[in-house]
Amino acid sequence: MAPEHDAKIAKNSGFLAVSAGVVGVMSYACTLLMANMLGTADYTMFAAAAMILGVVGIVANALVPLPLSHVVAAHPEGSDERRNGVAFAVFVSCLAGIAAAIIAGSVTLALANPALAGVVALAAFVIFVANAPAGWLQGELRFTWYAISTIGEVLLRLVFSLLVIVMAWGAGGAVFGFVVGCLAPLVVPWSFYQDLRWRPRVLLEKWRWAETSDIASVLCVVSVLVGIDVVVVGFLDNGSPAAAGFQALATIAKGPVYVAAGTALVAFPLLRTPGAKAGEVLGAAFAAFGQLAVVAFAIIATAPPLMAGLIVPQKYHGSLGLLPWLAASGLGYAVLMALSTVLLALRAYRRCQIGLACACVLVVGGLWLGWQLNAVTGMAVGSAAGAVLAGLVLAVLARPVLVAAHPGRGAGPFLVLACVLIVALAVAAHLQPLAWLTLAAVSGLAVLAHQRGLLPHRNDFRIRRRRRQAGTSGETTRRRVRFEAPSTSPRASWVARALSGNLTAFIVVVAGAFGVRALGLERGFELWVDELLYVRLGESVSAGEFPTLPDGPFFLHPPGYFLLEAGVIKIFGITGEIIEVTLQLRWLNGVMGALTVGLGFLLVRKLATPTAAWLAAVLLAFEPFILRNNSHAFLETSAMVPGLAGLLLLVDHRQPQSKLRSFLRLATAGLLLGYSILCKDFFFISTVAPVLAAIVWKRTVPWRKGLVVAASGFVPYVIYLIVVAAHGHFPSWVWAKSNGLLRMSGVEKTTGFTSEGSPSIVSRLIEQSGHFGTSYILLGLCPVVGLLLCFSYHAGRRLIGLGGLALGAAGAYSAVFGTFEEQYGYGVMVFGVICSVLVVVELRERYPKGRKALAVVSVIYVALTMVLGIRTALTVDNGFVQANDWVQANLPAGARISVTNSTGHFAYMHDPRFGIWPSAPLMKEQGVSYILTQSKPTSQGYGYANPSMLAWLKDHASPMVTALGPTNGETTIWYVDPAALDAAAAANVGVPHKDYGTER
């Protein structure tokens, strides 16, 4: 019994804690979306209604789920007692929902119009009704389904919020999103509805009301205690910045409370199950709760200001010093929630009520005393003291009941490890925030992976050759089998396995990769002219045009990415100056880049082992060159996502149940590969071309399947060409493509490292090795590992190897003979990671003696990649943004300013104060008194300005603003005194090349 309970609690506590965190983040995103997109009056009404419904949700969660989970856990499916319990829960939900609807609607009517009040009343009723299925799922121990339904509830509300914004439905439509979201919890296994019966007589049974009221009262008190500090500080300090900072940080610091909620949801029905061994359940519950809560507290309490400032708005940074105290209070509240739920499960109502009464006095007293001594700062300290003391008091009161859990067993080593972790994080935060981030990420992911059973028990990359037979379960499948319920249908079992397996891991990987990309998306990567061009093209598509630049329609690249940009612009209503719009659209590529990591993870997991898949995910998430491309509005990121998705469908070895399903899968794979080409033609090399080659090479893909995929792959581009020809643009398309091919082949060398006067690629590699050293290793490895995979025994690996070989060979040709630009290497890097990991698996399978050496090399390479990736993300490199901020705030209306590269020219093309006047004679002729320069590209011969002009400016001009970054060096706005400019113009200083209006 002990191992079984330990597995259930360990796996599901962490999973439910993460899902609760995801729900919190998505709810915050929904609120933030409404704050930005609704008018002031509408948002004020929405915020008031949301607060009222939040209170309704707290009461509903306390009143219905846990009492019902006890009945479901204690009685078998189809029994009269279970049906009585379900009927009672639904009746209570409906009656309480009606009461909540009347109260909430009446309160809202005093604040808003009758229509909004009616929507709030409906939402309050639906919130109560939707809680009965949640209690049934908890009692059935279907925690995966429960977590997905809660996430689905908020996701539906978020999607509906977008519809509300597009359709301009105002505050009423936004509140109706709560009703729509409640549809998700109603999607439960049919057996719930089979247990549902019309039995109103159960409402006359007093013992049911007594137990429900006991549980509801305790949980309501706990919920109030957890949130009282946020409410009180706002009331006492009247919405000051300090109070707002306290509230923002307190929400983050309550991370351990999510852990307690997850543990409580799992432990309560297990403790109420007939025949359950309370000691074993409690021991497993405390172990799971302790591991997760301590790690969460340690990370939050020791977070350095640099890292905490990334997720806390700038205006609240003055309150960051409160975070350790608020983290301690969050830990205390978590202990209160966990212990009170356990005491409820064991029916120790009196001890629980006495403990909560003491907690009310201690928490409220701590807040009051802290406010009297030192206002908001004192409240943070008082909150921590009150919550921790309340947790200790409840623990003392619960000790006789909890002694069966043997809390002293293993507590000593755990406390030592906890103290070591906290000290290590605190020291790392003080010395180097980058080291803190690495240690925090590793410790958090390690605990979650350990509790979910994702960490390998053997350090082995080998594929297990034995396949699971019907009616048996090997070591590799035991975790998934445990989640299958005999009473569910095959389809429901399949869904449950999918959610608890690949899909769950995919969500975790994508969320983690997006978090890495969010670190420096707007401040860690300098603006490039290419992304400004692509943003303008996306804006033109959103206006209903062909992709168009100021000089006419654009056909050098196909419109796949521009269509995505246009959709985002329309949905979110993005407007503004080009630099602002570009920074906002970078988030699209951040999401697409995170999806790339998730798809790469699934692809390697399909072709190798879970360990290899996690290795590939870490490399793709932190690889600095991939990170850099994902953080710009470039085409390549969007092209890679459908490409990998199509390959993932293609390497799926499962046989469909019918020829129609097989054809649809192949056609879908082909269309995805085709959309990759529609984003950038170059990706034909890694999508359709390998499929065609795979038909011939070792029969990797059967010729019929290969032809279906290839034919489908050409469909998106053919449709694009038909539209181009129908509008009479086909000659322009032919001209653009022919010139692009000449440039890419190297026949015409006007851009890239092989063009005349450009710095050599070798010097560039040496210069940037400190940032992209691991990337350059991948650049060289890609064709080699791709070639090795072409000889694999596994057909799927051979297909990926053909793609890696093609990309690697194309990259090598471009670097030596053709036009090699840095963004061309993105596909090489992604396939280089995937192919390299698969080759490591191949080598370990074929040469077992070399496993240790491969393991050491792999660990070193992964660690180095993580360090370089985090360094790249956290390095400030936003010279243009800082210069633009100065321009918006300080540049006189009548002043004129010269730009010296194409990025500056395109950014300010429509501002008459800016122009290309990069020499002293031109500046004097145009009446220019300011000039914007970038030291690094200018000294290398790029841009419009002569390097001698930059040297003269350093001696004779005054820098107004200077920003240092690895891409452009010193980005500076100079003010040139008229007298000095006259002398420089007479001396002909800085006369550029005759082609100064163009840039290599």
Side-chain angles (χ1 to χ4, degrees), residues 488-495 497:
T488 59
S489 65
R491 184 180 298 275
S493 298
W494 179 87
V495 171
R497 287 197 303 270

Side-chain angles (χ1 to χ4, degrees), residues 420-660:
V420 169
L421 176 63
I422 294 172
V423 172
L425 284 170
V427 172
H430 179 73
L431 297 178
Q432 176 52 258
L434 182 61
W436 175 90
L437 180 63
T438 303
L439 182 59
V442 170
S443 58
L445 292 175
V447 170
L448 286 174
H450 169 68
Q451 296 200 351
R452 288 291 297 163
L454 297 176
L455 293 180
H457 295 286
R458 299 178 181 176
N459 187 17
D460 194 354
F461 281 85
R462 291 174 298 175
I463 293 181
R464 299 184 182 276
R465 299 294 182 183
R466 292 179 300 174
R467 300 298 181 187
R468 181 184 170 194
Q469 303 297 324
T472 63
S473 59
E475 181 182 342
T476 58
T477 60
R478 189 175 300 125
R479 175 173 59 87
R480 297 183 184 180
V481 171
R482 192 173 297 149
F483 281 95
E484 297 180 12
S487 61
T488 59
S489 65
R491 184 180 298 275
S493 298
W494 179 87
V495 171
R497 287 197 303 270
L499 293 177
S500 63
N502 285 351
L503 182 56
T504 303
F506 175 77
I507 293 172
V508 171
V509 168
V510 171
F514 180 75
V516 174
R517 277 141 186 78
L519 289 177
L521 201 65
E522 294 189 1
R523 69 187 189 93
F525 301 92
E526 187 60 275
L527 287 170
W528 280 29
V529 65
D530 288 9
E531 57 179 338
L532 299 179
L533 292 169
Y534 299 153
V535 167
R536 282 296 186 222
L537 291 166
E539 288 180 326
S540 67
V541 174
S542 71
E545 307 171 354
F546 267 94
T548 304
L549 291 175
D551 58 353
F554 178 85
F555 296 106
L556 180 61
H557 298 303
Y561 177 59
F562 312 138
L563 292 171
L564 292 176
E565 285 186 312
V568 172
I569 290 171
K570 289 288 262 185
I571 291 174
F572 292 98
I574 298 175
T575 58
E577 299 294 331
I578 182 65
I579 293 179
E580 298 171 359
V581 175
T582 300
L583 294 178
Q584 294 182 67
L585 285 177
R586 280 183 174 184
W587 290 98
L588 167 63
N589 272 24
V591 173
M592 300 294 283
L595 289 174
T596 299
V597 179
L599 290 170
F601 167 82
L602 293 179
L603 191 58
V604 176
R605 189 166 184 173
K606 182 73 66 176
L607 298 175
T609 61
T611 304
W614 286 105
L615 177 64
V618 172
L619 288 173
L620 290 171
F622 288 95
E623 163 51 47
F625 194 93
I626 295 175
L627 196 59
R628 182 181 187 181
N629 195 286
N630 294 163
S631 301
H632 287 97
F634 288 160
L635 308 175
E636 291 77 14
T637 297
S638 62
M640 185 57 69
V641 173
L644 290 181
L647 291 173
L648 181 61
L649 285 177
L650 195 54
V651 301
D652 193 348
H653 62 272
R654 293 174 298 179
Q655 294 296 326
Q657 297 177 359
S658 67
K659 292 184 178 180
L660 177 60

Side-chain angles (χ1 to χ4, degrees), residues 14-73:
F15 180 69
L16 290 173
V18 172
S19 69
V22 171
V23 168
V25 171
M26 292 174 65
S27 298
Y28 179 74
C30 186
T31 303
L32 191 63
L33 183 66
M34 291 302 176
N36 289 323
M37 305 307 296
L38 291 179
T40 303
D42 277 335
Y43 178 71
T44 301
M45 290 190 292
F46 168 76
M51 182 182 68
I52 294 171
L53 293 177
V55 175
V56 171
I58 291 173
V59 177
N61 285 327
L63 190 63
V64 179
L66 284 188
L68 177 58
S69 71
H70 155 60
V71 174
V72 173

